[in-house]
Amino acid sequence: MRLHRPNLLLEVLRPLGQLLVFILGASAAISAITVLTAFLIRGTRTDMDLLQITLILLPQVLIDGIVLGFMYATIALGYTMVYGVLEFINFAHGEFFMFGAFAGVEFLVWMQGQGWLPDGQGWLAYLLLAGAVGVGMLISGSISVSTERIAYRPLRGAPRLVPLISAIGVSFLLQDVMRFYQSTANGAFYRTFPTFGGFSERITLFALPLDDREITIAIQMTSIVIIVVGSVMLVGLNYLVNATRLGRAIRSVAQDRNTAYLMGVDVNRIIAVTFLIGGALGGAAGVLWSFRFTRADPYMGFFPGLKAFTAAVLGGIGSIVGAMLGGMVLGLLESFAAAYLTIFTRGAFGAEYKDIFAFAILILILIFRPSGLLGGKTTQKA
Amino acid sequence: MSAPVLELTNVNTYYGKIHALKGISLTVERGEVVTLIGSNGAGKTTTLRSISGLIQPRQGEIKLNGQSIRSVSPHKIVEQGIGHVPEGRGIFPALTVFENLEMGAFLLRDLAEFERRLARVFAIFPRLEERVGQRGGTLSGGEQQMLAIGRALMQQPAILLLDEPSMGLAPLLVEEIFHIIRRLNQTEGTTILLVEQNAQAALQVANRAYVLETGRITMDGSAQALLHDPKVIQAYLGF
Ligand SMILES: Nc1ncnc2c1ncn2[C@@H]1O[C@H](COP(=O)(O)OP(=O)(O)OP(=O)(O)O)[C@@H](O)[C@H]1O
Ligand SMILES: [Mg+2]
């Protein structure tokens, strides 16, 4: 009978394998399309060797896309988990993300004030960064739980639109609260992520001789950190949901709330825990986001939130694996669009049009495959 | 004399303005099979949902082993010994058979006891053991009903509430389910409150019965007596 108990190693390796497949698969597909496009339209571009430029840029674009993908996936999990248990789209999730970012940045700024931020690399820098992520998770998780308790739970029996409006209200409220706090406390509404720990250093992966030039492929420490932290989050969540008693309770509430009650599950507590986990993941993503783009501002949650939502819908909202896949696809797509759109269109479309892709995907998915790529409706086992 | 396992006194339950239960009183003694029969919309499911706390009665008293369980939240009521197999079975479709059974023992932390109960459920429903890794949603209707009952038995409840276990099953399977109900009661002493539209079969396995009509109990007595009561025969046995 113990055969049916989850195998710890398998529960860790399976999501890692899935992640790897998603990364490689999405990278390969999008790279192939891009290179093919470059190949086809290269004749129209006599001012440069389009194919060569495309290939030179490719590795960096891929790395950036994967990093972005990890962040989108981590945010998307918040949408998907809450949707899984309540069939409700928590539009305030982007603001939980923003609060997490600020919490992490404030923590580091304070550390800096104490003179405790090291300049160079070392274990202390990693420890402090982990601390910032932890603080971000704590704050976002708490705000997420409180929001559920105050603004969503009383509306649980109401028509679907009502909690949705409530979520949008919470969204604006949280933005303005943060803006007010930052402008009164710091005189500016945004915060800069402190530079420390030598995270901006680049590590050369390999160098390629190409014709007369040599191109080096390098990866920033920041990117490595985000990939590692992101993987830990995704694998950890998978383990929690698929292999623990708490996870089984979450899945049972997602599948049939009344029957979950009849099994002795404290449904309200499980819903609160789901908000806690989703919010904490959003907070971690917020800290990583401000780490990567070096700042936090009260409105930073809007676009990443919307794109992560798109990622969740793309993968199949309610499905955890789907959120990972959708996040990766969206991150890569955005990175490719940002890099190649200008080159391919001779500057007719600048990188700022990259967002069109995300939202075009959202519309297409909603029209043609509303259940998403992986089609799960509930928080199912992978 | 000890208190009845389950005792409802003047229970009134509403869905908004709809008055679904209009003063229900009934008792189930230890070791009994009591059936609650009635036509569609009579309030049978509502009675069971009121007992397990899925809906709060507005008035009345519900006691389990002499203790009030009214206004207790449903997950706490389960803890006190109600095993409710809901209408439509309530299988978790994406959980495996094993995980569904694990959910039945959700409140149980003792692994040895878990294995003991599991072995007992598999002894009653060998079919479940064969399908242990299969997703609940892919089981046949009959297997799902067995899983739902097996899952409730994992709770080792003081009383088992069964809501139309024969619904949607082929005649042969209906017979098997009723056979299992009888066996649970006779060889294991399980106390059962059975809700059924299949009055004939229900009255044959039950000791006592209540007839529910639009939220009121209109008749009660020994199952044998009701089985031969002209009014029951005309209204529910369809001869
Ligand atoms: N969620 C609900 N909201 C409003 N009214 C309800 C709800 N559930 C049941 N009712 C009403 O309460 C009454 C009793 O319903 P109940 O489901 O208890 O009947 P039942 O005896 O179980 O019927 P059936 O044999 O068809 O299952 C019916 O009139 C029904 O329409
Ligand atoms: Mg019913």
Side-chain angles (χ1 to χ4, degrees):
Chain A
M1 280 169 222
R2 287 192 179 74
L3 264 180
H4 311 295
R5 300 247 167 230
N7 178 332
L8 204 150
L9 192 66
L10 191 72
E11 291 299 336
V12 169
L13 289 182
R14 176 155 28 76
L16 266 184
Q18 280 166 338
L19 255 178
L20 204 66
V21 168
F22 293 161
I23 292 172
L24 294 180
S27 297
I30 297 176
S31 303
I33 293 170
T34 307
V35 172
L36 191 68
T37 311
F39 180 76
L40 290 177
I41 64 173
R42 76 193 188 287
T44 65
R45 304 297 304 272
T46 46
D47 51 332
M48 58 172 161
D49 187 341
L50 190 61
L51 197 57
Q52 192 183 20
I53 288 187
T54 302
L55 289 173
I56 289 174
L57 286 176
L58 195 60
Q60 194 59 51
V61 173
L62 278 172
I63 290 173
D64 289 346
I66 291 166
V67 168
L68 204 56
F70 268 102
M71 292 192 286
Y72 284 152
T74 311
I75 309 170
L77 285 171
Y79 285 101
T80 236
M81 289 197 57
V82 164
Y83 186 86
V85 295
L86 286 181
E87 303 211 342
F88 154 70
I89 292 156
N90 175 21
F91 271 117
H93 189 62
E95 276 57 52
F96 301 166
F97 160 92
M98 176 270 288
F99 261 73
F102 270 106
V105 174
E106 292 286 352
F107 169 79
L108 290 173
V109 168
W110 186 80
M111 283 291 178
Q112 193 173 39
Q114 307 295 309
W116 291 342
L117 282 194
D119 285 330
Q121 285 177 5
W123 63 269
L124 184 61
Y126 290 102
L127 197 69
L128 285 165
L129 189 66
V133 172
V135 171
M137 290 175 82
L138 196 74
I139 296 291
S140 295
S142 321
I143 289 180
S144 178
V145 171
S146 320
T147 303
E148 189 271 329
R149 189 71 193 81
I150 298 165
Y152 302 157
R153 196 183 297 180
L155 304 175
R156 221 181 269 161
R160 277 161 171 268
L161 209 55
V162 177
L164 209 65
I165 305 284
S166 179
I168 292 169
V170 169
S171 211
F172 285 127
L173 184 79
L174 290 178
Q175 285 175 4
D176 286 341
V177 164
M178 184 51 84
R179 185 181 174 123
F180 180 76
Y181 170 74
Q182 289 298 335
S183 6
T184 45
N186 307 313
F189 70 94
Y190 66 91
R191 276 289 208 181
T192 308
F193 197 94
T195 313
F196 75 107
F199 288 116
S200 49
E201 270 171 46
R202 303 176 77 83
I203 296 171
T204 305
L205 293 179
F206 51 89
L208 270 184
L210 191 89
D211 294 347
D212 48 344
R213 285 183 279 184
E214 176 171 270
I215 56 166
T216 57
I217 310 303
I219 182 165
Q220 223 178 335
M221 273 315 290
T222 320
S223 304
I224 296 179
V225 168
I226 293 176
I227 291 174
V228 171
V229 175
S231 307
V232 170
M233 300 273 160
L234 300 186
V235 170
L237 181 78
N238 265 278
Y239 183 79
L240 181 87
V241 170
N242 287 335
T244 66
R245 181 170 179 271
L246 176 65
R248 220 179 323 115
I250 292 176
R251 283 183 290 147
S252 76
V253 172
Q255 289 171 41
D256 187 337
R257 196 189 301 171
N258 275 334
T259 307
Y261 268 123
L262 296 179
M263 303 294 111
V265 176
D266 185 346
V267 171
N268 281 332
R269 201 185 121 246
I270 293 299
I271 290 174
V273 167
T274 306
F275 271 86
L276 178 71
I277 297 170
L281 287 172
V287 177
L288 294 180
W289 190 277
S290 56
F291 174 56
R292 166 100 181 146
F293 300 109
T294 66
R295 83 179 226 157
D297 80 73
Y299 307 107
M300 69 186 284
F302 183 70
F303 270 108
L306 215 50
K307 283 182 200 155
F309 169 66
T310 306
V313 173
L314 175 65
I317 191 146
S319 154
I320 287 174
V321 213
M324 294 180 357
L325 173 63
M328 271 316 148
V329 171
L330 227 70
L332 282 163
L333 212 65
E334 179 169 334
S335 169
F336 272 76
Y340 293 116
L341 214 50
T342 319
I343 307 176
F344 283 10
T345 63
R346 286 176 211 255
F349 290 100
E352 64 274 17
Y353 283 91
K354 65 189 192 314
D355 295 339
I356 288 178
F357 283 81
F359 301 122
I361 283 192
L362 179 61
I363 294 168
L364 290 177
I365 278 283
L366 288 175
I367 295 174
F368 293 107
R369 202 175 153 77
S371 62
L373 293 178
L374 300 183
K377 187 188 137 295
T378 49
T379 315
Q380 293 176 350
K381 192 160 185 161
Chain B
M1 218 188 94
S2 64
V5 176
L6 184 69
E7 182 172 21
L8 274 66
T9 318
N10 190 29
V11 170
N12 283 272
T13 303
Y14 292 75
Y15 292 103
K17 285 195 177 111
I18 301 171
H19 194 174
L21 298 187
K22 302 165 184 158
I24 300 279
S25 299
L26 62 81
T27 56
V28 183
E29 302 286 344
R30 186 172 315 284
E32 267 192 318
V33 177
V34 171
T35 183
L36 187 61
I37 57 179
S39 46
N40 287 109
K44 305 181 295 295
T45 298
T46 308
T47 305
L48 296 192
R49 292 168 61 89
S50 302
I51 297 169
S52 55
L54 288 178
I55 179 162
Q56 294 286 343
R58 204 174 286 177
Q59 208 187 60
E61 185 54 274
I62 302 176
K63 284 185 175 165
L64 182 67
N65 290 319
Q67 292 223 339
S68 173
I69 53 167
R70 174 156 175 236
S71 335
V72 175
S73 51
H75 65 276
K76 288 273 199 289
I77 292 181
V78 170
E79 219 171 328
Q80 298 191 25
I82 297 271
H84 182 166
V85 179
E87 189 173 56
R89 302 162 192 135
I91 295 302
F92 299 113
L95 299 192
T96 63
V97 167
F98 184 76
E99 287 175 314
N100 267 282
L101 292 171
E102 273 188 308
M103 283 310 299
F106 186 73
L107 297 170
L108 182 72
R109 304 285 195 146
D110 175 354
L111 190 63
E113 176 62 19
F114 173 81
E115 306 255 318
R116 210 164 27 244
R117 292 187 192 177
L118 191 66
R120 176 176 160 236
V121 167
F122 284 160
I124 301 170
F125 302 108
R127 194 102 56 99
L128 293 183
E129 188 164 18
E130 290 162 24
R131 314 222 162 243
V132 75
Q134 196 174 324
R135 295 265 175 107
T138 64
L139 295 177
S140 76
E143 289 163 348
Q144 286 192 358
Q145 190 61 58
M146 292 175 194
L147 179 55
I149 297 175
R151 190 178 59 185
L153 291 177
M154 293 295 290
Q155 303 174 353
Q156 215 160 75
I159 179 169
L160 193 59
L161 313 179
L162 299 175
D163 197 340
E164 300 202 37
S166 72
M167 187 170 62
L169 300 185
L172 216 63
L173 269 172
V174 172
E175 210 167 293
E176 191 177 339
I177 292 284
F178 278 103
H179 178 76
I180 286 165
I181 293 171
R182 187 188 307 251
R183 189 178 136 200
L184 277 177
N185 176 251
Q186 287 179 353
T187 65
E188 321 235 351
T190 314
T191 308
I192 296 172
L193 176 58
L194 171 65
V195 157
E196 260 302 333
Q197 282 201 49
N198 186 343
Q200 175 89 38
L203 289 171
Q204 274 164 3
V205 299
N207 305 105
R208 288 191 303 114
Y210 292 87
V211 177
L212 196 59
E213 275 172 38
T214 55
R216 284 199 176 86
I217 288 181
T218 53
M219 270 188 268
D220 70 276
S222 85
Q224 282 306 313
L226 287 185
L227 204 48
H228 298 107
D229 187 298
K231 272 183 283 176
V232 175
I233 291 176
Q234 200 211 350
Y236 301 104
L237 302 179
F239 295 136

